[in-house]
Amino acid sequence: MEYKVKIDAFEGPLDLLLHLIKKLEIDIYDIPVAEITDQYMDFIHQMQKLELDIASEYLLMAAQLIAMKSRMLLPKPELDQEDSDEPYEDPEMARQALMQQLIDYRQFKEAAEALKVHEGERMQLFAKPPTDLSEYENNDLTAIPIAGRATVHDMLHAFQRVILKHKLEQPLSTKIDRQVLPIGQQMSNVMDKLRKTNIPLSFQSIFLYTDRSHLIVTFLALLELMKMNAIVCNQSKNFDDIMIILGEGADNFEASEDSFDY
Amino acid sequence: MKQAKIRSIIEGLLYLTGEDGLTIDQISKVIPECSIQELSNQIEQMKMAYNQNESSGIMIVDMPNGFRLTTKPFMADYAEQFAVIPKTAPLSQAALETVAIIAYKQPVSRISIEEIRGVKSERALQTLMVKGLIKEVGRAEGSGRAILYGVTSLFLDYFGLHDLSELPPLVEMMKNQNEQMDAYDLFYDHYKETINELSE
Amino acid sequence: MKQAKIRSIIEGLLYLTGEDGLTIDQISKVIPECSIQELSNQIEQMKMAYNQNESSGIMIVDMPNGFRLTTKPFMADYAEQFAVIPKTAPLSQAALETVAIIAYKQPVSRISIEEIRGVKSERALQTLMVKGLIKEVGRAEGSGRAILYGVTSLFLDYFGLHDLSELPPLVEMMKNQNEQMDAYDLFYDHYKETINELSE
């Protein structure tokens, strides 16, 4: 099969076009409109055949490409027709505009790659939480000069972030995540983590992701493990972190991915 | 494993765990190829090295079954001098979020705050109490009788407000968000029109 | 003050402040008898000493306007075994592209970002806002008064950059240097402004 790449692999129509340009070894400064249009349409049709939901941006680009390609086939109109009702759109201008758009996008895509490298490097570095120096600290806020204080704007901004975070954590109504994380596998993950560190883990540290299905599967996995006595959960007082340790039944635990496939 | 490598791992872990410190067992789990005896030896030598190194402001001290890194005694004066420097951002993000929720929703319990923020907020509340920006204003009805919090007059003073009515209304903020949405919808509608035009 | 003493104080303070780090101003308030220049020199030499010392698992890294102590990169595996570190998921491709555009073109509106990327970017913007990597820096002129975005000092910290000038140059900008020189100068001036803003 020619196109093994899924539409999800692309960030949008420009990204897809850049992929095609690279694959076909086309010079980005001299894009053959007919060829790139055919290839692009091919891709879109393949996706439609697979009944994948194609975002409107991809269809808009398809329409633009087809319009450009068809205009290129038409002869250039005579000069005296210039002030007619239909203004003439020079397909060459459109081609140049698309080229510029692709070049602009490509350089930011490359910049994003560079940032990704920086991010990866930064994620390798860890620091301890700051030592609590409050015993020495001056807690008299009025001693802080006004210029050094937080402002109402800072506070509102903080609040806005809370609201955004809330909104962000709501599941997307348009996207259905079909990727199922088997409970058995998540049970194994939890057990592996406990065995590897061999120290009590906090309840929070088990939940690495905040998407709903992940939370539910992880929680069910913990319940199953408790039932099997493979783990024990402790909470020293109300609202304390729940700590998880290996239980007596831990040695008998051997889950396969499909052992709890519900 | 080379001696230098062992020491570097121990130093790194001691740094990360800070005041909590490490037990020798924990170190041994991370470097299983070393005997407990060898690890203890290395740590003893590291202790001496820190003590003798005049360029170093930190040292290793014993704790039950383990060790932790701390600043040398002479640092106390400097730590104090550092602590009293007025910080440019005296309220952390967590504290700002928490005090904003309290200002707009008071009287409000810790649990309500945590529901909104999605994270534990005990420490932020403590900080705000110590700084005098919030206070207990009562207890919730019901079994838990949870503490309810409100802002203080120092809060108004700190943020330069005469009274709470001067706080920007929340509706404004929401409206801005809606505006953003509207602008987006306009943009999107424009897209759809273009598609229709092109496909005609 | 002896050089060793200066270094020991700096090391002690770096240890205490951990991930918060220190600015050179703060150090200078604690050691007023040293010039900023001398303090910077000492820190540069300390950086080298940590890097060259194979028995050390820690090092000094730059952060916006300052420095902090972190574990060396090789420590990451050992550190993760401790599970003391909450693992954060890296940014998505969409968020990376969006933040790259904002970093290079700030102040910039959502619509400009979407024009460059060719796709909706609202969700990426929200993620970046929540992570504190971008902020509103103003409103565009004109009817829409669209929100303009810029990067925060946390952006620099997140990507381990000391300041915006460390961003890799955009390729195309270099290629068409002559043509775009004027535009570039403008762009660069704007950079400097933003840097100044961030360091305020």
Side-chain angles (χ1 to χ4, degrees):
Chain A
M1 166 117 172
E2 177 98 15
Y3 293 112
K4 285 212 172 110
V5 216
K6 281 198 191 137
I7 202 107
D8 294 8
F10 299 103
E11 282 299 320
L14 295 174
D15 200 17
L16 172 54
L17 280 173
L18 284 180
H19 167 78
L20 294 174
I21 286 168
K22 200 172 161 201
K23 197 174 70 100
L24 301 168
E25 292 172 1
I26 289 171
D27 180 4
I28 195 167
Y29 293 95
D30 188 20
I31 301 168
V33 173
E35 188 181 357
I36 201 82
T37 303
D38 294 346
Q39 291 286 337
Y40 186 92
M41 292 316 293
D42 244 22
F43 192 99
I44 297 293
H45 286 146
Q46 291 284 351
M47 292 304 113
Q48 275 170 339
K49 231 182 259 172
L50 293 172
E51 292 182 25
L52 290 177
D53 190 22
I54 297 168
S56 57
E57 292 103 342
Y58 287 95
L59 301 179
L60 174 61
M61 177 59 76
Q64 282 172 345
L65 286 171
I66 291 169
M68 207 190 308
K69 183 183 165 191
S70 51
R71 283 209 190 93
M72 282 191 147
L73 298 173
L74 298 173
K76 214 174 171 176
E78 296 296 314
L79 273 177
D80 55 9
Q81 284 180 333
E82 244 181 33
D83 51 3
S84 67
D85 289 345
E86 283 271 312
Y88 172 68
E89 278 178 48
D90 187 348
E92 184 51 30
M93 297 270 283
R95 193 176 79 115
Q96 290 289 327
L98 178 65
M99 179 193 92
Q100 196 54 51
Q101 212 183 354
L102 283 168
I103 288 170
D104 283 348
Y105 173 65
R106 188 174 66 174
Q107 67 180 356
F108 285 110
K109 194 173 145 71
E110 280 163 4
E113 284 303 312
L115 284 180
K116 198 183 171 73
V117 173
H118 278 281
E119 180 190 46
E121 284 168 358
R122 178 68 183 83
M123 278 185 164
Q124 299 285 301
L125 308 182
F126 301 103
K128 81 187 240 305
T131 300
D132 184 10
L133 294 176
S134 55
E135 56 171 318
Y136 303 122
E137 249 167 46
N138 185 353
N139 276 314
D140 182 9
L141 284 175
T142 49
I144 300 169
I146 291 183
R149 298 183 188 179
T151 64
V152 173
H153 178 79
D154 293 334
M155 188 177 65
L156 280 182
H157 189 68
F159 199 81
Q160 226 165 351
R161 269 176 63 182
V162 175
I163 293 168
L164 277 175
K165 198 174 157 211
H166 238 295
K167 214 166 124 189
L168 211 59
E169 277 162 4
Q170 309 302 319
L172 259 182
S173 55
T174 50
K175 195 174 159 189
I176 299 162
D177 203 352
R178 290 282 297 166
Q179 213 168 28
V180 178
L181 176 65
I183 289 176
Q185 190 195 325
Q186 191 61 356
M187 287 166 70
S188 301
N189 289 346
V190 171
M191 290 303 282
D192 284 349
K193 204 169 170 187
L194 279 165
R195 283 181 177 138
K196 212 159 123 193
T197 56
N198 212 5
I199 51 171
L201 290 176
S202 78
F203 194 67
Q204 296 254 350
S205 71
I206 302 284
F207 294 88
L208 290 181
Y209 306 97
T210 51
D211 71 272
R212 193 168 284 200
S213 68
H214 200 278
L215 290 179
I216 293 170
V217 169
T218 307
F219 189 65
L220 288 174
L222 287 178
L223 291 180
E224 286 295 348
L225 287 170
M226 282 171 78
K227 207 168 81 184
M228 294 166 69
N229 217 6
I231 59 166
V232 177
C233 295
N234 285 315
Q235 188 183 34
S236 46
K237 63 173 197 290
N238 272 357
F239 311 120
D240 259 14
D241 239 359
I242 297 170
M243 300 306 287
I244 303 166
I245 54 172
L246 290 174
E248 282 168 9
D251 294 339
N252 303 327
F253 172 78
E254 242 180 86
S256 62
E257 292 209 353
D258 50 1
S259 49
F260 288 96
D261 200 9
Y262 46 77
Chain B
M1 198 183 273
K2 269 169 59 188
Q3 173 180 307
K5 178 89 174 180
I6 298 170
R7 290 200 189 177
S8 66
I9 297 170
I10 296 176
E11 188 184 60
L13 292 178
L14 281 172
Y15 169 67
L16 277 182
T17 49
E19 283 80 47
D20 293 343
L22 279 173
T23 66
I24 194 98
D25 279 353
Q26 286 175 313
I27 302 173
S28 142
K29 294 257 158 55
V30 178
I31 319 177
E33 53 268 62
C34 274
S35 69
I36 299 273
Q37 185 54 46
E38 198 184 337
L39 290 175
S40 301
N41 284 344
Q42 292 297 343
I43 292 171
E44 287 311 314
Q45 286 176 43
M46 288 170 74
K47 271 189 194 173
M48 282 198 289
Y50 280 118
N51 287 341
Q52 281 160 14
N53 183 355
E54 285 189 13
S55 303
S56 177
I58 52 179
M59 61 179 193
I60 298 179
V61 294
D62 290 333
M63 52 172 232
N65 298 320
F67 310 91
R68 65 191 175 92
L69 220 49
T70 151
T71 48
K72 288 181 177 169
F74 83 88
M75 279 296 301
D77 284 348
Y78 297 101
E80 193 170 343
Q81 283 178 47
F82 173 77
V84 296
I85 301 172
K87 306 290 184 293
T88 43
L91 290 179
S92 66
Q93 188 66 30
L96 277 173
E97 287 178 10
T98 307
V99 81
I101 293 168
I102 295 172
Y104 282 102
K105 301 215 144 205
Q106 64 180 340
V108 60
S109 71
R110 195 195 64 215
I111 295 186
S112 308
I113 295 166
E114 289 176 346
E115 266 165 20
I116 297 172
R117 292 192 58 220
V119 286
K120 296 218 307 179
S121 306
E122 197 158 13
R123 218 183 134 84
L125 282 170
Q126 256 170 23
T127 308
L128 293 167
M129 284 289 266
V130 171
K131 297 201 186 273
L133 291 174
I134 60 165
K135 60 179 180 198
E136 289 186 29
V137 291
R139 296 274 176 163
E141 303 276 316
S143 62
R145 313 256 314 122
I147 299 170
L148 298 174
Y149 297 93
V151 293
T152 61
S153 55
L154 183 66
F155 167 87
L156 297 174
D157 187 30
Y158 179 82
F159 286 105
L161 304 166
H162 288 292
D163 56 56
L164 275 177
S165 65
E166 282 185 32
L167 270 180
L170 271 187
V171 212
E172 284 290 311
M173 259 168 41
M174 296 301 159
K175 213 172 70 191
N176 280 346
Q177 292 222 337
N178 288 342
E179 255 174 43
Q180 215 176 327
M181 288 303 284
D182 287 345
Y184 178 73
D185 284 341
L186 274 174
F187 184 61
Y188 192 72
D189 284 340
H190 175 66
Y191 254 27
K192 278 192 292 196
E193 267 169 42
T194 320
I195 292 176
N196 292 339
E197 258 172 50
L198 286 171
S199 53
E200 263 162 24
Chain C
M1 198 183 273
K2 270 169 59 191
Q3 173 180 305
K5 178 84 173 181
I6 297 170
R7 292 199 188 175
S8 67
I9 298 171
I10 296 175
E11 188 184 61
L13 290 177
L14 282 171
Y15 171 75
L16 287 175
T17 51
E19 66 191 0
D20 280 357
L22 274 178
T23 68
I24 201 107
D25 275 356
Q26 288 172 328
I27 304 173
S28 133
K29 290 225 170 73
V30 177
I31 320 177
E33 53 268 60
C34 273
S35 69
I36 298 275
Q37 184 55 47
E38 197 185 337
L39 290 175
S40 302
N41 284 343
Q42 292 298 341
I43 291 171
E44 285 311 312
Q45 287 177 43
M46 287 171 73
K47 270 191 196 169
M48 282 198 288
Y50 281 117
N51 286 341
Q52 283 162 12
N53 183 356
E54 284 190 13
S55 303
S56 178
I58 53 180
M59 62 179 194
I60 299 179
V61 295
D62 287 344
M63 51 179 255
N65 299 318
F67 309 91
R68 74 155 69 91
L69 216 51
T70 73
T71 50
K72 289 181 177 170
F74 85 85
M75 282 294 301
D77 288 343
Y78 300 103
E80 274 161 17
Q81 286 184 45
F82 256 79
V84 282
I85 294 115
K87 228 176 136 57
T88 46
L91 291 176
S92 67
Q93 187 63 28
L96 279 170
E97 285 179 11
T98 305
V99 81
I101 293 168
I102 295 171
Y104 285 96
K105 301 215 121 190
Q106 61 180 338
V108 62
S109 70
R110 196 195 64 221
I111 294 186
S112 307
I113 296 165
E114 290 174 342
E115 270 167 11
I116 294 173
R117 295 192 59 225
V119 284
K120 308 182 275 189
S121 305
E122 193 177 23
R123 214 171 159 79
L125 280 171
Q126 285 188 346
T127 305
L128 294 167
M129 282 292 261
V130 167
K131 293 209 169 206
L133 299 178
I134 59 167
K135 61 177 178 193
E136 290 185 31
V137 291
R139 297 273 176 162
E141 302 277 313
S143 61
R145 313 254 318 121
I147 298 170
L148 298 175
Y149 297 95
V151 294
T152 62
S153 57
L154 188 63
F155 163 86
L156 297 174
D157 188 10
Y158 184 84
F159 290 105
L161 303 168
H162 198 196
D163 58 52
L164 279 176
S165 66
E166 282 184 30
L167 277 178
L170 288 181
V171 190
E172 210 46 41
M173 224 134 227
M174 297 288 109
K175 242 186 232 165
N176 305 342
Q177 219 170 16
N178 293 338
E179 263 173 54
Q180 296 193 348
M181 210 45 196
D182 289 344
Y184 184 72
D185 281 347
L186 274 175
F187 186 59
Y188 192 72
D189 283 343
H190 176 65
Y191 253 28
K192 280 190 291 192
E193 268 169 45
T194 319
I195 292 171
N196 291 339
E197 252 173 55
L198 284 173
S199 53
E200 263 164 27

PDB file of all heavy atoms in Angstrom, chain C residues 159-180:
ATOM      1  N   PHE C 159      12.544  25.331  28.312  1.00  0.00           N
ATOM      2  CA  PHE C 159      13.395  24.851  27.229  1.00  0.00           C
ATOM      3  C   PHE C 159      14.889  25.025  27.549  1.00  0.00           C
ATOM      4  O   PHE C 159      15.737  24.863  26.671  1.00  0.00           O
ATOM      5  CB  PHE C 159      13.047  25.564  25.916  1.00  0.00           C
ATOM      6  CG  PHE C 159      11.705  25.150  25.380  1.00  0.00           C
ATOM      7  CD1 PHE C 159      10.614  25.984  25.487  1.00  0.00           C
ATOM      8  CD2 PHE C 159      11.536  23.910  24.794  1.00  0.00           C
ATOM      9  CE1 PHE C 159       9.369  25.589  25.019  1.00  0.00           C
ATOM     10  CE2 PHE C 159      10.308  23.504  24.319  1.00  0.00           C
ATOM     11  CZ  PHE C 159       9.222  24.345  24.433  1.00  0.00           C
ATOM     12  N   GLY C 160      15.167  25.363  28.797  1.00  0.00           N
ATOM     13  CA  GLY C 160      16.567  25.470  29.209  1.00  0.00           C
ATOM     14  C   GLY C 160      17.328  26.568  28.487  1.00  0.00           C
ATOM     15  O   GLY C 160      18.516  26.428  28.219  1.00  0.00           O
ATOM     16  N   LEU C 161      16.644  27.670  28.166  1.00  0.00           N
ATOM     17  CA  LEU C 161      17.306  28.788  27.491  1.00  0.00           C
ATOM     18  C   LEU C 161      17.574  29.894  28.509  1.00  0.00           C
ATOM     19  O   LEU C 161      16.771  30.125  29.403  1.00  0.00           O
ATOM     20  CB  LEU C 161      16.402  29.347  26.379  1.00  0.00           C
ATOM     21  CG  LEU C 161      15.942  28.364  25.313  1.00  0.00           C
ATOM     22  CD1 LEU C 161      14.835  28.990  24.472  1.00  0.00           C
ATOM     23  CD2 LEU C 161      17.101  27.945  24.438  1.00  0.00           C
ATOM     24  N   HIS C 162      18.715  30.561  28.347  1.00  0.00           N
ATOM     25  CA  HIS C 162      19.024  31.655  29.259  1.00  0.00           C
ATOM     26  C   HIS C 162      18.249  32.910  28.865  1.00  0.00           C
ATOM     27  O   HIS C 162      17.701  33.618  29.686  1.00  0.00           O
ATOM     28  CB  HIS C 162      20.520  31.932  29.279  1.00  0.00           C
ATOM     29  CG  HIS C 162      20.946  32.716  30.484  1.00  0.00           C
ATOM     30  ND1 HIS C 162      22.139  33.354  30.572  1.00  0.00           N
ATOM     31  CD2 HIS C 162      20.315  32.940  31.649  1.00  0.00           C
ATOM     32  CE1 HIS C 162      22.227  33.950  31.741  1.00  0.00           C
ATOM     33  NE2 HIS C 162      21.138  33.715  32.403  1.00  0.00           N
ATOM     34  N   ASP C 163      18.236  33.210  27.578  1.00  0.00           N
ATOM     35  CA  ASP C 163      17.364  34.279  27.091  1.00  0.00           C
ATOM     36  C   ASP C 163      16.965  34.009  25.642  1.00  0.00           C
ATOM     37  O   ASP C 163      17.439  33.056  25.032  1.00  0.00           O
ATOM     38  CB  ASP C 163      18.010  35.665  27.261  1.00  0.00           C
ATOM     39  CG  ASP C 163      19.330  35.757  26.540  1.00  0.00           C
ATOM     40  OD1 ASP C 163      19.381  35.430  25.335  1.00  0.00           O
ATOM     41  OD2 ASP C 163      20.324  36.151  27.166  1.00  0.00           O
ATOM     42  N   LEU C 164      16.096  34.869  25.111  1.00  0.00           N
ATOM     43  CA  LEU C 164      15.522  34.608  23.785  1.00  0.00           C
ATOM     44  C   LEU C 164      16.571  34.586  22.677  1.00  0.00           C
ATOM     45  O   LEU C 164      16.373  33.966  21.645  1.00  0.00           O
ATOM     46  CB  LEU C 164      14.451  35.653  23.462  1.00  0.00           C
ATOM     47  CG  LEU C 164      13.078  35.388  24.076  1.00  0.00           C
ATOM     48  CD1 LEU C 164      12.148  36.535  23.766  1.00  0.00           C
ATOM     49  CD2 LEU C 164      12.503  34.083  23.545  1.00  0.00           C
ATOM     50  N   SER C 165      17.705  35.252  22.913  1.00  0.00           N
ATOM     51  CA  SER C 165      18.719  35.274  21.857  1.00  0.00           C
ATOM     52  C   SER C 165      19.314  33.887  21.643  1.00  0.00           C
ATOM     53  O   SER C 165      19.966  33.641  20.640  1.00  0.00           O
ATOM     54  CB  SER C 165      19.827  36.266  22.211  1.00  0.00           C
ATOM     55  OG  SER C 165      20.519  35.814  23.342  1.00  0.00           O
ATOM     56  N   GLU C 166      19.081  32.964  22.579  1.00  0.00           N
ATOM     57  CA  GLU C 166      19.586  31.606  22.407  1.00  0.00           C
ATOM     58  C   GLU C 166      18.696  30.744  21.523  1.00  0.00           C
ATOM     59  O   GLU C 166      19.031  29.606  21.215  1.00  0.00           O
ATOM     60  CB  GLU C 166      19.724  30.916  23.768  1.00  0.00           C
ATOM     61  CG  GLU C 166      20.944  31.340  24.547  1.00  0.00           C
ATOM     62  CD  GLU C 166      21.065  30.553  25.848  1.00  0.00           C
ATOM     63  OE1 GLU C 166      20.620  29.399  25.891  1.00  0.00           O
ATOM     64  OE2 GLU C 166      21.594  31.115  26.806  1.00  0.00           O
ATOM     65  N   LEU C 167      17.540  31.281  21.137  1.00  0.00           N
ATOM     66  CA  LEU C 167      16.678  30.528  20.218  1.00  0.00           C
ATOM     67  C   LEU C 167      17.436  30.291  18.925  1.00  0.00           C
ATOM     68  O   LEU C 167      18.107  31.186  18.428  1.00  0.00           O
ATOM     69  CB  LEU C 167      15.418  31.336  19.892  1.00  0.00           C
ATOM     70  CG  LEU C 167      14.255  31.301  20.855  1.00  0.00           C
ATOM     71  CD1 LEU C 167      13.161  32.232  20.330  1.00  0.00           C
ATOM     72  CD2 LEU C 167      13.712  29.910  21.010  1.00  0.00           C
ATOM     73  N   PRO C 168      17.314  29.090  18.365  1.00  0.00           N
ATOM     74  CA  PRO C 168      18.007  28.856  17.095  1.00  0.00           C
ATOM     75  C   PRO C 168      17.484  29.809  16.020  1.00  0.00           C
ATOM     76  O   PRO C 168      16.282  30.051  15.965  1.00  0.00           O
ATOM     77  CB  PRO C 168      17.658  27.401  16.769  1.00  0.00           C
ATOM     78  CG  PRO C 168      16.547  27.021  17.683  1.00  0.00           C
ATOM     79  CD  PRO C 168      16.581  27.935  18.848  1.00  0.00           C
ATOM     80  N   PRO C 169      18.372  30.381  15.179  1.00  0.00           N
ATOM     81  CA  PRO C 169      17.892  31.313  14.159  1.00  0.00           C
ATOM     82  C   PRO C 169      16.999  30.589  13.158  1.00  0.00           C
ATOM     83  O   PRO C 169      17.199  29.408  12.877  1.00  0.00           O
ATOM     84  CB  PRO C 169      19.179  31.800  13.489  1.00  0.00           C
ATOM     85  CG  PRO C 169      20.211  30.775  13.820  1.00  0.00           C
ATOM     86  CD  PRO C 169      19.818  30.156  15.117  1.00  0.00           C
ATOM     87  N   LEU C 170      16.007  31.302  12.657  1.00  0.00           N
ATOM     88  CA  LEU C 170      15.133  30.706  11.647  1.00  0.00           C
ATOM     89  C   LEU C 170      15.908  30.574  10.341  1.00  0.00           C
ATOM     90  O   LEU C 170      16.565  31.518   9.913  1.00  0.00           O
ATOM     91  CB  LEU C 170      13.900  31.578  11.432  1.00  0.00           C
ATOM     92  CG  LEU C 170      12.886  31.581  12.562  1.00  0.00           C
ATOM     93  CD1 LEU C 170      11.707  32.470  12.204  1.00  0.00           C
ATOM     94  CD2 LEU C 170      12.409  30.178  12.868  1.00  0.00           C
ATOM     95  N   VAL C 171      15.829  29.418   9.716  1.00  0.00           N
ATOM     96  CA  VAL C 171      16.647  29.117   8.554  1.00  0.00           C
ATOM     97  C   VAL C 171      16.417  30.108   7.416  1.00  0.00           C
ATOM     98  O   VAL C 171      17.356  30.682   6.866  1.00  0.00           O
ATOM     99  CB  VAL C 171      16.327  27.702   8.031  1.00  0.00           C
ATOM    100  CG1 VAL C 171      17.327  27.296   6.980  1.00  0.00           C
ATOM    101  CG2 VAL C 171      16.298  26.729   9.180  1.00  0.00           C
ATOM    102  N   GLU C 172      15.148  30.322   7.113  1.00  0.00           N
ATOM    103  CA  GLU C 172      14.814  31.125   5.945  1.00  0.00           C
ATOM    104  C   GLU C 172      15.318  32.552   6.085  1.00  0.00           C
ATOM    105  O   GLU C 172      15.740  33.193   5.146  1.00  0.00           O
ATOM    106  CB  GLU C 172      13.294  31.125   5.768  1.00  0.00           C
ATOM    107  CG  GLU C 172      12.858  31.267   4.362  1.00  0.00           C
ATOM    108  CD  GLU C 172      13.631  30.364   3.420  1.00  0.00           C
ATOM    109  OE1 GLU C 172      13.899  29.190   3.754  1.00  0.00           O
ATOM    110  OE2 GLU C 172      13.998  30.861   2.351  1.00  0.00           O
ATOM    111  N   MET C 173      15.289  33.008   7.326  1.00  0.00           N
ATOM    112  CA  MET C 173      15.728  34.357   7.623  1.00  0.00           C
ATOM    113  C   MET C 173      17.195  34.542   7.220  1.00  0.00           C
ATOM    114  O   MET C 173      17.599  35.569   6.720  1.00  0.00           O
ATOM    115  CB  MET C 173      15.619  34.568   9.122  1.00  0.00           C
ATOM    116  CG  MET C 173      15.018  35.875   9.449  1.00  0.00           C
ATOM    117  SD  MET C 173      13.787  35.649  10.693  1.00  0.00           S
ATOM    118  CE  MET C 173      12.516  36.600   9.963  1.00  0.00           C
ATOM    119  N   MET C 174      17.983  33.514   7.490  1.00  0.00           N
ATOM    120  CA  MET C 174      19.406  33.568   7.166  1.00  0.00           C
ATOM    121  C   MET C 174      19.600  33.576   5.651  1.00  0.00           C
ATOM    122  O   MET C 174      20.392  34.319   5.121  1.00  0.00           O
ATOM    123  CB  MET C 174      20.124  32.354   7.766  1.00  0.00           C
ATOM    124  CG  MET C 174      20.065  32.311   9.265  1.00  0.00           C
ATOM    125  SD  MET C 174      21.123  33.573  10.006  1.00  0.00           S
ATOM    126  CE  MET C 174      19.945  34.721  10.642  1.00  0.00           C
ATOM    127  N   LYS C 175      18.838  32.705   4.978  1.00  0.00           N
ATOM    128  CA  LYS C 175      19.005  32.534   3.537  1.00  0.00           C
ATOM    129  C   LYS C 175      18.778  33.835   2.780  1.00  0.00           C
ATOM    130  O   LYS C 175      19.560  34.216   1.937  1.00  0.00           O
ATOM    131  CB  LYS C 175      18.012  31.473   3.031  1.00  0.00           C
ATOM    132  CG  LYS C 175      18.721  30.257   2.424  1.00  0.00           C
ATOM    133  CD  LYS C 175      17.680  29.346   1.823  1.00  0.00           C
ATOM    134  CE  LYS C 175      17.859  27.935   2.351  1.00  0.00           C
ATOM    135  NZ  LYS C 175      16.713  27.101   2.091  1.00  0.00           N
ATOM    136  N   ASN C 176      17.677  34.483   3.097  1.00  0.00           N
ATOM    137  CA  ASN C 176      17.339  35.717   2.383  1.00  0.00           C
ATOM    138  C   ASN C 176      17.825  36.933   3.145  1.00  0.00           C
ATOM    139  O   ASN C 176      17.160  37.937   3.211  1.00  0.00           O
ATOM    140  CB  ASN C 176      15.829  35.844   2.192  1.00  0.00           C
ATOM    141  CG  ASN C 176      15.264  34.639   1.519  1.00  0.00           C
ATOM    142  OD1 ASN C 176      16.002  33.867   0.907  1.00  0.00           O
ATOM    143  ND2 ASN C 176      13.974  34.461   1.621  1.00  0.00           N
ATOM    144  N   GLN C 177      18.993  36.802   3.715  1.00  0.00           N
ATOM    145  CA  GLN C 177      19.436  37.820   4.646  1.00  0.00           C
ATOM    146  C   GLN C 177      19.402  39.228   4.048  1.00  0.00           C
ATOM    147  O   GLN C 177      18.883  40.146   4.647  1.00  0.00           O
ATOM    148  CB  GLN C 177      20.841  37.514   5.127  1.00  0.00           C
ATOM    149  CG  GLN C 177      21.007  37.839   6.589  1.00  0.00           C
ATOM    150  CD  GLN C 177      22.323  37.320   7.111  1.00  0.00           C
ATOM    151  OE1 GLN C 177      23.213  37.000   6.331  1.00  0.00           O
ATOM    152  NE2 GLN C 177      22.446  37.231   8.394  1.00  0.00           N
ATOM    153  N   ASN C 178      19.954  39.358   2.863  1.00  0.00           N
ATOM    154  CA  ASN C 178      20.050  40.693   2.289  1.00  0.00           C
ATOM    155  C   ASN C 178      18.684  41.322   2.105  1.00  0.00           C
ATOM    156  O   ASN C 178      18.432  42.428   2.553  1.00  0.00           O
ATOM    157  CB  ASN C 178      20.784  40.647   0.953  1.00  0.00           C
ATOM    158  CG  ASN C 178      22.235  40.275   1.181  1.00  0.00           C
ATOM    159  OD1 ASN C 178      22.746  40.465   2.285  1.00  0.00           O
ATOM    160  ND2 ASN C 178      22.878  39.733   0.171  1.00  0.00           N
ATOM    161  N   GLU C 179      17.830  40.554   1.464  1.00  0.00           N
ATOM    162  CA  GLU C 179      16.476  41.042   1.229  1.00  0.00           C
ATOM    163  C   GLU C 179      15.800  41.454   2.532  1.00  0.00           C
ATOM    164  O   GLU C 179      15.155  42.470   2.623  1.00  0.00           O
ATOM    165  CB  GLU C 179      15.613  39.904   0.666  1.00  0.00           C
ATOM    166  CG  GLU C 179      15.476  39.907  -0.826  1.00  0.00           C
ATOM    167  CD  GLU C 179      14.749  38.650  -1.248  1.00  0.00           C
ATOM    168  OE1 GLU C 179      13.648  38.420  -0.712  1.00  0.00           O
ATOM    169  OE2 GLU C 179      15.289  37.894  -2.076  1.00  0.00           O
ATOM    170  N   GLN C 180      15.986  40.589   3.508  1.00  0.00           N
ATOM    171  CA  GLN C 180      15.159  40.755   4.704  1.00  0.00           C
ATOM    172  C   GLN C 180      15.884  41.475   5.821  1.00  0.00           C
ATOM    173  O   GLN C 180      15.406  41.533   6.929  1.00  0.00           O
ATOM    174  CB  GLN C 180      14.703  39.389   5.200  1.00  0.00           C
ATOM    175  CG  GLN C 180      13.821  38.700   4.192  1.00  0.00           C
ATOM    176  CD  GLN C 180      13.117  37.504   4.789  1.00  0.00           C
ATOM    177  OE1 GLN C 180      13.466  37.088   5.885  1.00  0.00           O
ATOM    178  NE2 GLN C 180      12.158  36.971   4.078  1.00  0.00           N
TER     179      GLN C 180
END
